[in-house]
Amino acid sequence: MILIKRATAIFKELRALALQKRTIGFVPTMGALHDGHLSLMAAAKHYNDITVCSIFVNPTQFNDPKDFEKYPITLEKDIEILEKAGMDYLFLPEVTDIYSDGIDQLPNYDLGYLETIFEGKYRPGHFQGVCQVMNRLLEIIPADDLFMGQKDFQQCMVVKKLLQIIASKTRLHTCETLREADGLAMSSRNMRLNELERKKAVHIAEVLGRIKKTVNAGPLLPISMAATDSLNNNGFKVDYVAIAAADNLEVLEEWDGKRPLVALVAAFLNNVRLIDNMLIP
Ligand code: AMP
């Protein structure tokens, strides 16, 4: 694997490969890699001739500075994992390389409804930060295919919208969520849970599983309210539990029994904010 820190250097290298008609698969990450990230790498390897992973903890997408400061960094281990996964390139930029003109004058993207609900509502500015970094990364990495996780369901929708806004030819592939043996969605933030919190954390996946199992045509609100109560009673501080249309995240009060749904949860266990979702059916 070739490690490149400078944007200009990786752009030159990848552009030459693209001109030779080699397809480029790109997996952007913030590091602290786990098997969920590895599944995206495997998909990139399957689809593309050349695979690129980036590790960049993007300051502009953290609405909470403490969350940014505490973001786990495990670079040496990450490099080992990426080598083993057979990635061709690791892009490891500095903030100044991504945002060479500083972070005060970055573009704003019209994300409409998507920015007003769920993660958009509870993490103001987060999706603008996601778009700022993704736009910049895609200027540097001429990716044919981009691999992201369903774990961040709304983020995938936002990036899909960004690709339309910037008229990008890059194809977005949404890869399914990898889970621990007990069902907890893998996440870099899980490293910040103590033993007791880690045991409790699985309750999010259990609640989502229960929604998926019990949902029927008819009113949805009682189901999401019961799930919220269950999380609150188990020591979580819930930001939201919602059942929405899977295609546009419209919050539905009634279900016709046919339209594809997604159940979404965001909740704190002490200082650690966890998110997860499940598609229905
Ligand atoms: P992050 O490093 O948290 O920004 O995540 C980088 C990418 O990995 C994002 O596209 C995430 O959606 C994806 N990802 C995170 N957790 C998982 C998981 N458990 N399964 C699959 N993909 C994941």
Side-chain angles (χ1 to χ4, degrees), residues 27-37 39-40 61 71 147-153 155-156 175-179 185-189:
V27 182
T29 80
M30 298 203 294
L33 301 178
H34 50 68
D35 285 354
H37 294 117
S39 70
L40 308 185
Q61 73 186 67
Y71 203 83
F147 298 86
M148 301 189 82
Q150 186 207 313
K151 159 85 170 36
D152 297 280
F153 190 86
Q155 172 171 272
C156 288
C175 304
E176 73 180 48
T177 304
L178 248 78
R179 297 179 180 280
M186 290 182 185
S187 165
S188 308
R189 285 190 172 83

Side-chain angles (χ1 to χ4, degrees), residues 175-214:
C175 304
E176 73 180 48
T177 304
L178 248 78
R179 297 179 180 280
E180 303 287 355
D182 63 356
L184 174 67
M186 290 182 185
S187 165
S188 308
R189 285 190 172 83
N190 295 350
M191 285 180 199
R192 290 179 46 205
L193 300 169
N194 66 31
E195 210 178 313
L196 184 65
E197 290 164 347
R198 169 61 190 85
K199 273 193 193 141
K200 279 190 176 179
V202 70
H203 200 62
I204 293 184
E206 286 169 1
V207 151
L208 285 168
R210 209 175 304 145
I211 293 177
K212 185 168 175 160
K213 229 167 150 186
T214 54

